[in-house]
Amino acid sequence: MVSKWRKMKLALSLNLCNYLPRTLEEPTLNSSERLSDAALLSPLNWPMTPTTTSSRSRNLSRNSSKSSKQTCSICLTKMKEGFGHAIFTAECSHAFHFHCIASNVKHGNQVCPVCRAKWKEIPIQKPSLDLPYSPLVRSNNDEAISLVRRLPPSHRAINQGHPEPAIFDDDERLEKQIVFTGETNALEKENHNSVGMMDMKMYPEVSAVSQSKSCENFDVLVHLKAVTGNHISQYHRAPVDLVTVLDISGSMGGTKLALLKRAMGFVIQNLGSSDRLSVIAFSSTARRLFPLTRMSGSGRQLALQAVNSLVANGGTNIVDGLRKGAKVMEDRRESNSVASIILLSDGRDTYTVNHPDDPSCRVMIPQIPVHSFGFGSDHDASVMHSVSEFSSGTFSFIESESVIQDALAQCIGGLLSVAVQELRVDIEGVCPNVRLGSIKAGSYSSLVTGDGHSGFVDLGDLYADEERDFLVSINIPVEEDGHTPLLKLRCVYIDPLTKQITTLESRVLQIRRPENVCEEEVVPIEVDRQRNRFLAAEAMAQARTLAEHGELEGAVTAIENFRLVLAQTVAAKSCDRFCVALDLELKEMQDRMRSSNVYEASGRAYILSGLSSHSWQRATSRRNSRDGSSFYQVYQTPSMAEMLRRSQSMFLVSPSHHRLIQPLLSFASQPKPM
């Protein structure tokens, strides 16, 4: 008898007692119910606060019969709250298992299965973020899987949304932090809870030059590293203000949006309670989902709910999204030490005519670093790379949608480990006759004074254990003494944790000046490696210019010519790992420029991501992060690698066996002594 009843329910689309997995997409609305982009992004249209029963339903349910309270009218089994079974009581007083009635509604039934009364409030299964680490995502958590969403009245204006404030000065207040003021030197710094110290080294291209010989364009490598001992402590790091600008245009529907939600969930779960997050979603227009909010327990819940409410729809207005993201940063009342914007998009801006290379358009690019991520074959790699380049951020190419989370994980692994800020290196010629000719520092700002006696490089922020290298080209005169002093360095930076300004000075670099040099000295691998990096970046830029003009054969040849030069260098002949990986990357670029179709689909983005990485000497994502031959690991810091490991571990075991990851805590959020 029961079997016949179940078959009849199946025929009537009422087979709702069987458990169905949560959908990764918002329920599809018909044309009369579909909201505009602005309305979809409005907080008024987010799913309401999780609840098992609406307030109106609770009042009506008091009058429901005892039998209807005890038995689900759909699956005819007993109802009991808890144990993964949420109860929904309708306006007509009939009660059901939440998963039964939610599945019923999912199939298009918006009337009571018992009395056929039309409902104004319907239960909708909350779309899953698929976040195995989240404490909110548990099968026995009634509130995490149940939502009630009010059907929009037919007379409601389609673009009506919650108005945004004119000024985004509603950021959540910071936790009280310990701040040290003033200036200190390296010895005083050791007594404070600082993040790290700078290690400075200089390498001349040779250690000896004969007295009778003068040299032009003599290279000196300057190497710097933010030393933290091990990787940065979970209790000692600078808190972050992060704004994510997310593309939710129509092309982001389906799997892309589901993976983006999961990736954002990973970011949210790994931010500490002193870190603040705001999310901007853009399609035809952009809207702030919530202000800069501390990622405490309630903050995380708000952020997860907001991200999970996103629906793909409309066009692509990247500039509006960036403008709004920059405004969040500019209008905030208080500021954490570290600030960054993350931009993710899979399409081309369909609303802005000017290219970011246009000077009239640069004023719209934020002064805060924008780390942009273009995924798929249709994103505008040139625009996103330009935005990142002008804002001192990086551009990553996510060819496979499945590694969106890995790419974000590597990025935030760096942002959550900033050890040095506003690093500036002053270079001074010690010998009066030594002149600085030029400085090669990639995308970093540098200057040589007119008289050639000094120069400087602004290197910005460094992550824990991150390295920076630049080449100083100098002229060495004839010298009769046994030694020639060349350069000395002065390094100034801000500790992001203590806010102290620290100054370090190097020893004077000098070279030997014997009467004769018997054998030609071999260039150190450290110097040769960086020469190869800068020359490779120049070859990439040249190849890209040729490819943009349709000269793909010339572009491939430009890369090939440099590969031949690279193979003859000291570092390459010594099988230096960097040079081996660099050659593999260059070969990959050649393969992606064999035809115009391949170049348009992936070649341009791959080259620009490589240029971004080598110019800033910072890890970016390209290709599949699980590909062992990928260039993905170059410049990757221990903190980046650890966060990437966390992300990838999610795929190695079933969700039911995942443990909640403890986020890297900032200094202000460390436990207080009892």
Side-chain angles (χ1 to χ4, degrees), residues 90-318:
E91 303 161 61
C92 56
S93 80
H94 292 112
F96 312 91
H97 284 130
F98 185 87
H99 66 270
C100 291
I101 195 62
S103 298
N104 190 33
V105 170
K106 179 183 174 183
H107 284 79
N109 302 305
Q110 297 178 0
V111 297
C112 176
V114 178
C115 67
R116 311 306 293 173
K118 189 172 182 179
W119 292 337
K120 294 181 181 178
E121 293 182 348
I122 59 172
I124 293 180
Q125 191 87 13
K126 180 178 180 179
S128 172
L129 270 176
D130 190 21
L131 298 174
Y133 291 145
S134 172
L136 298 179
V137 183
R138 296 194 297 264
S139 61
N140 62 347
N141 188 327
D142 295 340
E143 293 190 352
I145 63 171
S146 59
L147 294 171
V148 177
R149 175 173 173 177
R150 185 176 297 276
L151 287 172
S154 58
H155 62 273
R156 180 176 177 178
I158 193 168
N159 61 351
Q160 180 180 352
H162 185 69
E164 289 181 335
I167 301 176
F168 292 153
D169 59 354
D170 52 354
D171 52 303
E172 185 173 358
R173 293 292 186 180
L174 302 178
E175 284 187 335
K176 186 176 180 180
Q177 300 179 30
I178 299 176
V179 177
F180 299 94
T181 58
E183 186 170 349
T184 184
N185 57 36
L187 294 177
E188 293 171 338
K189 185 179 177 67
E190 293 179 359
N191 297 322
H192 298 308
N193 288 319
S194 58
V195 173
M197 295 182 63
M198 290 301 305
D199 181 28
M200 294 187 295
K201 293 179 181 178
M202 286 185 282
Y203 300 86
E205 67 173 68
V206 292
S207 62
V209 176
S210 63
Q211 295 179 359
S212 59
K213 183 179 179 181
S214 63
C215 297
E216 294 186 358
N217 301 320
F218 183 93
D219 283 338
V220 175
L221 170 67
V222 178
H223 173 81
L224 303 108
K225 182 176 181 179
V227 181
T228 59
N230 300 316
H231 65 79
I232 203 162
S233 167
Q234 64 172 339
Y235 295 137
H236 294 90
R237 71 165 176 84
V240 177
D241 281 346
L242 178 64
V243 175
T244 57
V245 182
L246 310 178
D247 185 346
I248 59 165
S249 59
S251 60
M252 284 292 297
T255 304
K256 285 183 183 179
L257 186 60
L259 292 172
L260 176 59
K261 289 180 179 182
R262 185 178 67 182
M264 277 302 301
F266 178 85
V267 172
I268 291 166
Q269 292 295 346
N270 282 280
L271 293 176
S273 61
S274 291
D275 301 314
R276 299 189 301 177
L277 174 70
S278 180
V279 176
I280 307 294
F282 70 89
S283 52
S284 301
T285 58
R287 188 165 189 85
R288 186 189 67 165
L289 299 187
F290 56 90
L292 271 175
T293 304
R294 286 176 45 220
M295 290 296 99
S296 55
S298 59
R300 282 199 188 100
Q301 186 173 5
L302 169 68
L304 289 170
Q305 180 181 349
V307 169
N308 208 24
S309 73
L310 296 176
V311 179
N313 195 6
T316 306
N317 196 335
I318 297 176

Side-chain angles (χ1 to χ4, degrees), residues 374-393:
F375 44 95
S377 59
D378 297 326
H379 73 277
D380 196 330
S382 296
V383 167
M384 299 185 76
H385 174 264
S386 295
V387 167
S388 294
E389 189 72 12
F390 293 141
S391 65
S392 302

Side-chain angles (χ1 to χ4, degrees), residues 343-356:
L343 168 67
L344 297 101
S345 179
D346 76 329
R348 299 175 181 273
D349 196 312
T350 54
Y351 291 84
T352 305
V353 176
N354 292 340
H355 189 276

Side-chain angles (χ1 to χ4, degrees), residues 16-17 39 98 113 119 286 324 328 351 384 390 594 609 615 621:
L16 309 169
C17 55
F98 185 87
W119 292 337
K324 196 145 291 184
V328 170
Y351 291 84
M384 299 185 76
F390 293 141
R594 299 294 183 185
S609 182
S615 297
S621 303

